Amino acid sequence: MPQPSARKGSRRIRSYDPARVRAALAAQTEELRTAVQSLCAHPRAEALLAAPTRLGDWTVRDLIMHLGFVLDWVPRHLDDPVPDGEPLTLTGWARVTRTAAADIAQGPQHRPEVTPEAVAGRLDTAADSLLEILAGPEAADPTRRIAIRFGPIRLADYLVTRLLETVVHADDLAEAVGRAARAQGVANPLAAPEDFRYDRQALASATRLLADTLAEAAPGGAVELRVPPYAVVQCVEGPRHTRGTPPNVVETDPLTWIRLATGRTAWAAAVETGAVTASGERSDLSGHLPVLR
């Protein structure tokens, strides 16, 4: 369970137990490996890999290739020179990467010649590289920093961002493959998004990081965002309540919150379907979302 460890102004900054983060990332990596192996062994694997995703013009194959890039980024760059300067905070990372989607879209994609066996092998190799780092002394070093395109960041914090990436893209993968399987009339090799096996600590960390990013981007105490059982934050400028039930409350489940916060789900649609309950005249968060793409 992450514990508040410092304050930024009047807001507490959440910290994450490094050992739990490493264990969660290892478990989430194995879940992704299992899912991709199952998909690539499917009799209709080629057609499923060519199916579209909700990520612009990326196919399922492109998404899995990007997941390999996410997993082996730390192993490939761990020993790169680290620039001087104050390391990015977790919410700072979220802010600076918010508009990086266009650059990321130019990454390893549009490679229809890559066979299902090679797709699974690429993810296997990336997973093995990351798991080796997670089990080694570098990842356990609390002083270790790593260089990313936006500057230095503590390795322990950067591993939290890998939890967020793997959870978000696992949801993208489950949604795309499920939709493609239904369209093609074949058995779904993966679970539905709501049933996909997410590591609990990984899901909790992704939920909390996105909630904290909203609280920093829209500071205030007018609205209470509740994402049980993982997060409660105050946000949005306006009258702050001090006791009793807040006048403006937003509540949703972790996956819906993650989809809202990353632009996968529209606010109006989530409210209409009942996935989000919002009470109070200031409870409409649509103007503050997404916090990350």
Side-chain angles (χ1 to χ4, degrees):
M1 175 78 73
Q3 298 295 325
S5 61
R7 286 183 177 272
K8 183 174 182 178
S10 61
R11 187 177 62 82
R12 287 186 171 182
I13 300 174
R14 198 187 308 269
S15 64
Y16 295 78
D17 183 305
R20 290 188 177 186
V21 168
R22 295 194 300 273
L25 185 52
Q28 186 65 22
T29 297
E30 292 291 7
E31 293 293 351
L32 281 170
R33 189 206 302 266
T34 299
V36 170
Q37 287 176 340
S38 177
L39 169 61
C40 291
H42 193 277
R44 293 291 304 276
E46 189 58 59
L48 292 172
L49 287 171
T53 70
R54 57 192 177 193
L55 303 176
D57 60 355
W58 278 18
T59 64
V60 170
R61 178 185 277 102
D62 298 330
L63 173 56
I64 296 173
M65 296 296 283
H66 176 69
L67 273 166
F69 174 81
V70 168
L71 294 180
D72 73 1
W73 202 97
V74 168
R76 285 187 294 111
H77 296 281
L78 184 63
D79 294 321
D80 287 357
V82 180
D84 294 331
E86 190 70 19
L88 286 166
T89 63
L90 280 168
T91 53
W93 170 86
R95 289 200 315 274
V96 297
T97 58
R98 181 179 181 184
T99 57
D103 291 338
I104 293 171
Q106 302 306 314
Q109 59 167 326
H110 302 314
R111 298 177 61 181
E113 76 281 3
V114 181
T115 65
E117 294 78 13
V119 170
R122 167 73 180 94
L123 194 90
D124 265 343
T125 299
D128 287 341
S129 296
L130 177 59
L131 292 172
E132 182 178 357
I133 293 296
L134 294 177
E138 298 95 340
D141 181 355
T143 68
R144 188 71 182 247
R145 302 197 304 172
I146 191 169
I148 61 174
R149 71 175 75 180
F150 306 103
I153 188 171
R154 291 176 61 246
L155 178 58
D157 286 340
Y158 194 65
L159 294 179
V160 178
T161 75
R162 301 305 85 189
L163 286 179
L164 174 59
E165 290 266 9
T166 53
V167 167
V168 169
H169 287 317
D171 186 52
D172 291 332
L173 180 63
E175 190 276 339
V177 173
R179 177 159 39 89
R182 290 192 299 273
Q184 297 175 25
V186 299
N188 184 355
L190 307 182
E194 289 73 13
D195 298 326
F196 191 88
R197 292 187 54 165
Y198 301 96
D199 176 80
R200 179 180 174 86
Q201 182 68 26
L203 187 61
S205 297
T207 301
R208 290 166 177 149
L209 176 51
L210 291 169
D212 290 344
T213 301
L214 172 65
E216 185 169 303
V223 178
E224 184 165 286
L225 169 66
R226 301 172 178 172
V227 192
Y230 300 133
V232 178
V233 298
Q234 306 287 325
C235 58
V236 182
E237 185 178 3
R240 178 183 295 272
H241 73 278
T242 57
R243 64 177 64 186
T245 302
N248 303 284
V249 176
V250 173
E251 185 165 334
T252 189
D253 64 274
L255 277 179
T256 298
W257 166 241
I258 289 168
R259 293 166 189 160
L260 284 167
T262 59
R264 270 69 173 172
T265 295
W267 173 264
V271 172
E272 183 177 354
T273 61
V276 168
T277 58
S279 59
E281 61 181 15
R282 296 175 181 267
S283 63
D284 185 343
L285 296 180
S286 58
H288 304 288
L289 299 173
V291 299
L292 185 70
R293 289 187 181 278

